[in-house]
Amino acid sequence: IEIEESSKKLLEMKSERDDLNKAIEKLNKAIVELNKEGRQRLEKSFNKVNMNFKYLFKKLFNGGNAELKLVGSEDPLQSGLEIYASPPGKKMQNLSLLSGGEQALTSISLIFSVFLCNPSPLCILDEVDAALDDTNVNLFCELLNELVEENKINFIIVTHHRLTMAKMNRLLGVTMQERGISKILSV
């Protein structure tokens, strides 16, 4: 009787082991398929963002070149991202080697490059222009106007920069004449 019970338990355990091995095999196949799909989607999106980035960089800088590179691994899912830029008259270099204003404009180019891959009808920007000088604010505002016209995107911009405020279609200000009581003014 004990031998029969032990044999039954052994058969059940072998059956469970086989089921687990089949489940592991299915999971491994699913992981391989997901990774394959992920690589394809990442490469497609990366190429689209890179194309937008090159275009927007040239637009914001009135020339120059820029590109994104996947680095560190042949597998795009394991790679890092490096940003290279060459403002007009300068050699191609890593983002960290650019001046503060150039870094800000390059970053704006990258943000909009990603955004334009799947744009929404509304975009909120908070103090994006804070690091820009007056010339670069003009370029930034021109880009915003172009994006509004071409892509029908509405922007809400939180800013303290006088030039950005002067170039917007509508201006809403928030003031606090009495402590704790905010008032919205429309211009």
Side-chain angles (χ1 to χ4, degrees):
I1 296 178
E2 285 183 30
I3 292 176
E4 283 180 23
E5 286 177 13
S6 294
S7 293
K8 281 183 183 180
K9 275 189 176 182
L10 183 61
L11 285 173
E12 285 176 22
M13 292 171 97
K14 283 182 179 180
S15 175
E16 288 175 2
R17 183 195 64 201
D18 292 343
D19 289 345
L20 284 173
N21 285 335
K22 286 178 186 175
I24 290 170
E25 190 176 315
K26 274 185 173 181
L27 283 173
N28 284 333
K29 284 181 182 179
I31 290 170
V32 167
E33 284 300 312
L34 284 173
N35 283 341
K36 181 180 174 185
E37 173 87 13
R39 279 183 198 91
Q40 290 171 346
R41 285 185 179 193
L42 178 64
E43 287 175 350
K44 182 180 176 187
S45 295
F46 175 79
N47 290 333
K48 193 172 182 182
V49 168
N50 201 15
M51 186 178 70
N52 289 341
F53 180 58
K54 290 175 182 183
Y55 170 76
L56 292 173
F57 182 89
K58 284 182 183 180
K59 193 132 201 74
L60 278 174
F61 280 89
N62 287 323
N65 292 302
E67 70 177 307
L68 303 172
K69 290 183 181 178
L70 294 174
V71 296
S73 176
E74 291 295 317
D75 182 0
L77 296 176
Q78 303 296 321
S79 296
L81 177 70
E82 288 200 4
I83 302 167
Y84 290 94
S86 170
K90 292 189 175 184
K91 65 179 182 163
M92 188 69 80
Q93 54 194 338
N94 192 297
L95 177 67
S96 62
L97 300 175
L98 298 175
S99 71
E102 291 169 337
Q103 286 181 1
L105 273 183
T106 303
S107 298
I108 289 169
S109 301
L110 182 58
I111 289 168
F112 282 126
S113 299
V114 173
F115 178 74
L116 287 176
C117 286
N118 190 13
S120 66
L122 178 66
C123 180
I124 300 172
L125 302 171
D126 187 3
E127 299 288 348
V128 174
D129 56 355
L132 303 177
D133 61 14
D134 290 353
T135 302
N136 290 333
V137 167
N138 281 325
L139 293 170
F140 168 70
C141 290
E142 287 173 17
L143 176 65
L144 287 179
N145 286 329
E146 182 180 308
L147 293 173
V148 167
E149 289 176 24
E150 288 179 6
N151 299 294
K152 306 300 181 217
I153 300 168
N154 293 299
F155 289 96
I156 295 175
I157 302 173
V158 178
T159 185
H160 290 96
H161 202 288
R162 59 182 170 70
L163 285 176
T164 305
M165 288 188 266
K167 292 190 175 274
M168 295 300 111
N169 296 336
R170 286 195 193 117
L171 183 63
L172 296 175
V174 179
T175 183
M176 192 182 299
Q177 293 173 339
E178 294 180 48
R179 185 179 168 106
I181 302 174
S182 296
K183 184 178 180 184
I184 297 178
L185 305 171
S186 178
V187 179

